[in-house]
Amino acid sequence: MTARDRLSMEFAALADPTRRDILTRLRGGSLTVSDLAEHYPVSRAAVSQHLTVLERAGLVTRDRRGQWTDCSLAPLCLDEAAAWIERQRADWTERFDRLDEHLSNRRERGRATDDGEGEQR
């Protein structure tokens, strides 16, 4: 990934199903790396690597507590991505509404033309 902006990093982090599942599990509250690792058929180190990607993207925070590392959702987790998606949704909704209006107008003009031709016969 060449882009290093926050939004690109968030979407790159979300591209992996394991990382999305980790975020889902953290919705219920903080978990240790060991607690998270129990749910995946990969090593604890691999889960830690996934957490590093999530942390760099600003989606997860880690807090070292003795020999344990607590993982939590970041306070503003996904706000930027959600705002971007919402802007895209609004733009596309507006475009589809304009397309629908255009197609409705064409249908109406087509009916009017068909009705006019039928009267001349």
Side-chain angles (χ1 to χ4, degrees), residues 47-88:
V47 171
S48 187
Q49 288 176 335
H50 282 297
L51 288 165
T52 297
V53 172
L54 291 167
E55 188 174 29
R56 286 183 182 152
L59 302 175
V60 167
T61 60
R62 289 196 262 188
D63 182 39
R64 188 105 173 128
R65 184 176 43 91
Q67 65 181 359
W68 306 106
T69 302
D70 290 324
C71 304
S72 306
L73 290 177
L76 300 176
C77 179
L78 298 177
D79 282 356
E80 187 175 353
W84 184 88
I85 290 168
E86 190 51 43
R87 285 190 306 273
Q88 298 307 306

Side-chain angles (χ1 to χ4, degrees), residues 82-96:
W84 184 88
I85 290 168
E86 190 51 43
R87 285 190 306 273
Q88 298 307 306
R89 182 190 324 269
D91 288 348
W92 280 100
T93 298
E94 181 182 334
R95 289 175 185 167
F96 284 130

Side-chain angles (χ1 to χ4, degrees), residues 11 25 37 47 51 59 99 104:
F11 282 123
R25 291 181 189 284
V47 171
L51 288 165
L59 302 175
L99 177 60
S104 293

